[in-house]
Amino acid sequence: MFKIETHMHTAESSACATISAKDQVLQYISAGYDGILVTDHFVNGNSAVDRSLPWKEQMHQQFAGYRAAKEAAKDLNLKVFLGVEYAYHGTEFLVIGLGEEYFAQHEELKDARPEVFLEAFKDAGAAVIQAHPFREASYISEIRLYPNMVDAIEGFNYSNHYDWNQKAIALALGCDKPITAGSDCHHAGGAHAGMSLEKNSETTQELADVIKSGEGFIYFEQI
């Protein structure tokens, strides 16, 4: 089995993260992972991107953490995959399989409702996971659930309370959706969950396709 982190952030692109992409790479290698999916907050969330810049420059900054992680891991035994954590008033989704070029061409989606952008992402070939669907926090105005519009549900989020995760797992089971897990790692010492793949993915699109298939992986948590 191959251990993949599906939810993590870098200080380069997420305003709430305190660990650099390079240090993330090193800590995940130390924790025995085979790959990481960099899911920095998009500009409609808690992003470190300068929103005063022209849109294409914003998108270049958006993926600075991913590029730094990719560079840090180039001679090391860790695969780096590209994703984003996309937001709608605190409701968040992990989007896998779309990159800088796609988002640079679709500025109109950043303020769209989930019913619009989720359909657009899936039409473009992405895999979408609803992240921590039952989290309660000051930045989340209400719980919004989209099980029929996503490919999987993040059942275990290490940064969540136990009961929020139990509700997420129950939602996934009730809707027959695959369950993923992620550390939601923003800081040093935060590598505690992810997916175990039967076969390691070579590209981000391969990882997206595995998630969309709902087969060939299980989620894990480690305290």
Side-chain angles (χ1 to χ4, degrees), residues 130 133-134 145-153 167-179:
Q130 182 157 5
F134 290 96
L145 303 177
Y146 296 88
N148 296 323
M149 298 192 70
V150 298
D151 298 291
I153 303 292
K167 289 179 180 179
I169 290 170
L171 173 66
L173 293 174
C175 297
D176 196 27
K177 288 290 180 177
I179 298 171

Side-chain angles (χ1 to χ4, degrees), residues 42-82:
F42 199 67
V43 294
N44 52 14
N46 199 15
S47 173
V49 171
D50 181 354
R51 274 84 157 189
S52 69
L53 293 173
W55 180 249
K56 288 191 175 182
E57 293 181 32
Q58 288 186 49
M59 291 301 93
H60 186 70
Q61 284 193 359
Q62 173 68 51
F63 299 104
Y66 165 76
R67 290 193 300 273
K70 192 81 171 175
E71 176 66 20
K74 67 179 182 180
D75 296 320
L76 302 174
N77 192 27
L78 186 80
K79 295 187 181 300
V80 179
F81 304 105
L82 175 61

Side-chain angles (χ1 to χ4, degrees), residues 28 31 39 54 57 79 86 92 98 109 120 124 135 144 147 152 155 161 171 176-177 184-185 194-195 208 222-223:
Y28 275 97
T39 54
E57 293 181 32
K79 295 187 181 300
Y86 212 82
E92 294 178 304
L98 304 178
L109 292 176
R135 175 176 289 175
R144 304 176 185 88
H161 291 314
L171 173 66
D176 196 27
K177 288 290 180 177
D184 204 353
C185 178
M195 291 167 46
Q222 55 191 40
I223 307 301

Side-chain angles (χ1 to χ4, degrees), residues 15-151:
C16 44
T18 61
I19 183 170
S20 70
K22 179 179 179 180
D23 287 342
Q24 282 284 40
V25 166
L26 296 177
Q27 88 160 340
Y28 275 97
I29 289 173
S30 179
Y33 283 71
D34 299 290
I36 56 173
L37 175 67
V38 180
T39 54
D40 279 311
H41 290 291
F42 199 67
V43 294
N44 52 14
N46 199 15
S47 173
V49 171
D50 181 354
R51 274 84 157 189
S52 69
L53 293 173
W55 180 249
K56 288 191 175 182
E57 293 181 32
Q58 288 186 49
M59 291 301 93
H60 186 70
Q61 284 193 359
Q62 173 68 51
F63 299 104
Y66 165 76
R67 290 193 300 273
K70 192 81 171 175
E71 176 66 20
K74 67 179 182 180
D75 296 320
L76 302 174
N77 192 27
L78 186 80
K79 295 187 181 300
V80 179
F81 304 105
L82 175 61
V84 298
E85 186 166 20
Y86 212 82
Y88 177 78
H89 299 290
T91 301
E92 294 178 304
F93 304 89
L94 306 177
V95 183
I96 307 153
L98 304 178
E100 182 176 338
E101 182 177 352
Y102 177 88
F103 290 110
Q105 294 173 351
H106 293 282
E107 181 178 2
E108 78 282 359
L109 292 176
K110 74 178 175 67
D111 297 317
R113 291 185 56 82
E115 292 86 352
V116 175
F117 65 69
L118 291 176
E119 183 176 357
F121 294 161
K122 294 189 74 174
D123 286 347
V128 182
I129 302 167
Q130 182 157 5
H132 44 70
F134 290 96
R135 175 176 289 175
E136 298 176 20
S138 59
Y139 69 91
I140 301 174
S141 58
E142 63 179 276
I143 301 297
R144 304 176 185 88
L145 303 177
Y146 296 88
N148 296 323
M149 298 192 70
V150 298
D151 298 291

